[in-house]
Amino acid sequence: MGKIRFNKIVKKEIKSVVFIIIGAIIAAFSVACILIPNDAIDYGTAGIGIIISQLTGFDLALCVFAVFLPFLIFSYFALGLEFFLKALLGATVYTIGMHLFEKVPFELDTEHFIAVAFGGAILGAGLSIILKNGGCIDGSEIFANVLIDKIYRKTGKEYSMSLILVLFNVFVYLLVFIFIDENKALMSLLVFIVASTVINHFTDHFEAIKQVTIITKDPDGIINDITENLHKTCTVIQSSGAIAGENKTLICYVNYFELDKIKHIIANHEGSFSTVSTIDEIIS
C-alpha cells in the first residue's frame, strides 16, 4: 500500500509540473504576442516588470523576473519548499517564454479591443492551469496570501485575497496611467477583468476563502497536522455514517494556496475524506 501511494504521489507531482510548464507557456505567449503588441500589459508584479521595461528599455523578461524574485524568495519562508519550487518553475518558464515569443512574428488582424479581450482570455486560461496545479507566477498573489495569514495569526479572522489583489492592481494601473499612456491603462484593465473572470471560472474563485469539511476516524491526528503545518484550528462535530459508524467531522477554513497542504494531510490519514467549498464571507 505504501508503494502504491508513493507512486500515485509521484505521478501527481509529475502531472502538476507538466501542466505548470504548459500554463506558463500559454501565459507567456499571450503577453508577448498579443497583449503588448496591442497596447496592453499583464497585471500584478508582471505588470510592474513590463512598466519598468518600457520606461527603461531593459530586457522585458529580466525585468519581469527581477520584480517577481523578492516575492518568490519570500514564498519559500511563508509557503514552504514545494510551493517555492513550483513557483520558481512557473516563473522561469514564463519569463523564458516571453523572451522567446518576443522574437516570433505574430500579428492578430483585428481591432485592439478584440485582440486584448482574446489575449486576456488566453492569459487567464494559462494562469488557471498554473494555479490549479499548485504554482504561481504573480507576486501579488503571494503578497496577498502572506498578508491575510498575518492577519489571521493576529486576529483569528479569515479574509479573502480579493480586496488585496484589487488594490495591488489598481496601483499597477495607476502607474501605467501616469507614466506610460491612458489608453494602455484602460486596455490593461480589460485584461485584468477578462483574465480574472476566466480564472474564477476554472478555479472556483481562487481568491476566496475555502471551507474544507473532513470526515474522519482520526480527528486528533489531522488536527495536530493542521495546527503544526498550517497554524490553523478546526471546528469539531460529532457525526456518524450509515456504514462507517461513528466518526468526527472537522471544518477548517483555508486560502487557495493552503489547499494542497491540507489535501496532503488528509491523504496521510486513512479512512478520511473531505469536501471543499467556496465561502464569500465569514461573519463573526
Side-chain angles (χ1 to χ4, degrees), residues 104-150:
V104 174
F106 181 86
E107 183 177 351
L108 280 178
D109 187 19
T110 184
E111 295 181 3
H112 281 351
F113 182 86
I114 297 174
V116 168
F118 179 63
I122 294 176
L123 174 63
L127 295 178
S128 297
I129 293 171
I130 294 169
L131 288 168
K132 283 183 72 68
N133 288 277
C136 176
I137 58 172
D138 184 7
S140 65
E141 293 160 3
I142 296 172
F143 171 74
N145 175 84
V146 172
L147 187 57
I148 62 174
D149 182 62
K150 294 291 184 184

Side-chain angles (χ1 to χ4, degrees), residues 213-220 223 234-242 244-251:
T213 303
I214 308 163
I215 299 174
T216 180
K217 288 187 175 296
D218 183 21
D220 293 336
I223 290 171
C234 297
T235 297
V236 183
I237 303 171
Q238 186 70 41
S239 56
S240 63
E246 288 191 6
N247 49 52
K248 294 278 181 72
T249 298
L250 310 178
I251 298 176

Side-chain angles (χ1 to χ4, degrees), residues 78-79 153 222-232 258 261-262 265:
L79 298 169
R153 295 194 190 194
I222 292 180
I223 290 171
N224 287 337
D225 286 350
I226 289 174
T227 302
E228 183 178 337
N229 293 286
L230 296 175
H231 307 286
K232 302 278 185 178
E258 293 169 328
K261 287 185 178 181
I262 204 166
I265 290 171

Side-chain angles (χ1 to χ4, degrees), residues 190-203:
L190 175 63
V191 173
F192 176 66
I193 293 170
V194 173
S196 296
T197 302
V198 173
I199 292 169
N200 286 337
H201 176 74
F202 286 106
T203 63

Side-chain angles (χ1 to χ4, degrees), residues 122-189:
I122 294 176
L123 174 63
L127 295 178
S128 297
I129 293 171
I130 294 169
L131 288 168
K132 283 183 72 68
N133 288 277
C136 176
I137 58 172
D138 184 7
S140 65
E141 293 160 3
I142 296 172
F143 171 74
N145 175 84
V146 172
L147 187 57
I148 62 174
D149 182 62
K150 294 291 184 184
I151 294 172
Y152 172 80
R153 295 194 190 194
K154 192 168 184 179
T155 66
K157 294 182 179 180
E158 288 280 3
Y159 292 95
S160 76
M161 293 186 284
S162 302
L163 180 60
I164 299 169
L165 292 175
V166 168
L167 291 176
F168 192 99
N169 286 295
V170 165
F171 170 73
V172 173
Y173 296 134
L174 281 175
L175 291 178
V176 178
F177 188 88
I178 295 169
F179 293 107
I180 299 181
D181 182 76
E182 297 91 339
N183 289 329
K184 281 190 178 183
L186 294 175
M187 285 294 188
S188 302
L189 179 60

Side-chain angles (χ1 to χ4, degrees), residues 47-93:
I48 295 175
I50 295 170
I51 292 170
I52 294 171
S53 174
Q54 293 188 355
L55 289 176
T56 63
F58 292 158
D59 182 79
L60 173 63
L62 286 178
C63 288
V64 171
F65 191 81
V67 174
F68 183 63
L69 185 58
F71 296 92
L72 180 64
I73 295 170
F74 195 56
S75 74
Y76 171 76
F77 300 99
L79 298 169
L81 178 62
E82 182 179 348
F83 180 87
F84 167 80
L85 292 175
K86 288 183 176 181
L88 176 61
L89 172 66
T92 302
V93 175

Side-chain angles (χ1 to χ4, degrees), residues 128 131-132 160-162 196-211 254-256 259 275-280:
S128 297
L131 288 168
K132 283 183 72 68
S160 76
M161 293 186 284
S162 302
S196 296
T197 302
V198 173
I199 292 169
N200 286 337
H201 176 74
F202 286 106
T203 63
D204 188 23
H205 296 269
F206 88 95
E207 79 284 357
I209 301 165
K210 303 297 177 181
Q211 176 181 300
V254 299
N255 62 57
Y256 193 86
L259 272 178
T275 60
V276 179
S277 54
T278 297
I279 305 296
D280 292 323

